[in-house]
């Protein structure tokens, strides 16, 4: 069930990072040939319970996929289809401007902390919220709804670690960045290393201009989605 939820949540999070609305998804499976009929029935029932529960929460229809057998391990592949919100535009990665402020929509590092402790056999030391973040992340569609009319210049979901995903945006927009590491919100028990490098957070990294950073209304909207300012982007220092 957790695998089904997380597999779908990963692709829905990409739609959330573009401020789009989910419409439909597909699920393709490769089932090991050494699974018995009983195993197939039980495993797929749990898998699709996780998928359909999350899909229904976001009005996303499972419209098909593919099914095959394999001599290797079980494989599940997910894809999602979305549409642009009315009177809005897609949030991109290549339109961030020098001087834009960097915000993150929630605490980071919880999923990485949970995985690290699970792998070390220390499950009892993991806060329940961090386990939820690891196994059942929440696509942040609420951010797009709240900031539909905001001048968001760029966005990406944090799936591979804050530094890696921030660098992807900066490379696409030909910019550099400065982080205030002391302002990065950390999940309970998580370290700065978990936040910067761990990944699997699925919070959103937002880029907004000065006009929103200095506006009281804008700050109240950012507070409503749990956003924290963690840095700023600037032009690349080119050496001739």
């Amino acid at each position: 069930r957790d695998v089904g939820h997380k597999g779908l949540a990963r692709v829905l999070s990409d739609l959330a990072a573009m401020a789009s609305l989910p419409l439909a998804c597909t699920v393709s499976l490769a089932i090991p040939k050494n699974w018995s009929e009983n195993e197939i029935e039980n495993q797929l029932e749990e898998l699709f319970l996780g998928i359909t529960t999350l899909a229904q929460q976001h009005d996303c229809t499972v419209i098909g996929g593919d099914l095959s057998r394999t001599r290797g391990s079980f494989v599940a592949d997910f894809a999602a289809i979305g549409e642009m919100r009315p009177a809005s535009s897609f949030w991109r990665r290549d339109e961030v401007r020098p001087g834009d402020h960097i915000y993150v929509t929630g605490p980071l590092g919880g999923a990485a902390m949970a995985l690290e402790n699970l792998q070390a056999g220390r499950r009892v030391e993991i806060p329940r919220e961090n386990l939820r973040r690891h196994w059942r992340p929440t696509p942040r569609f609420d951010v797009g709804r709240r900031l539909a009319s905001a001048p968001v210049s760029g966005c990406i979901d944090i799936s591979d670690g804050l530094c890696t995903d921030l660098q992807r945006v900066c490379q696409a927009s030909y910019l550099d960045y400065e982080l205030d590491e002391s302002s990065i919100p950390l999940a309970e028990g998580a370290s700065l290393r978990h936040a910067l490098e761990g990944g699997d957070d699925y919070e959103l990294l937002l880029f907004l201009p000065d006009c929103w950073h200095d506006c009281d209304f804008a700050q109240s909207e950012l507070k409503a989605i749990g956003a924290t300012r963690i840095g700023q982007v600037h032009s690349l220092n080119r050496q001739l």
Side-chain angles (χ1 to χ4, degrees), residues 1 10 14 31 46 50 53 72 90 100 107-108 127-128 147 177 193 200 210 214:
R1 190 179 306 185
R10 288 171 60 91
D14 286 327
I31 299 173
E46 285 294 304
T53 299
F90 286 120
D100 284 351
L108 305 179
R128 180 175 296 179
L147 302 184
Y177 66 89
R193 175 180 60 83
D200 258 9
D210 269 328
D214 298 328

Side-chain angles (χ1 to χ4, degrees), residues 134-161:
H134 173 60
W135 285 118
R136 298 196 177 189
T138 302
R140 295 299 308 268
F141 288 108
D142 60 306
V143 176
R145 286 193 296 268
R146 192 90 190 192
L147 302 184
S149 60
V152 176
S153 59
C155 184
I156 189 173
D157 69 325
I158 304 175
S159 56
D160 296 319

Side-chain angles (χ1 to χ4, degrees), residues 102 176-180 230-234:
I102 308 168
D176 204 348
Y177 66 89
E178 293 181 2
L179 280 182
D180 177 5
I230 61 170
Q232 194 168 17
V233 295
H234 55 81

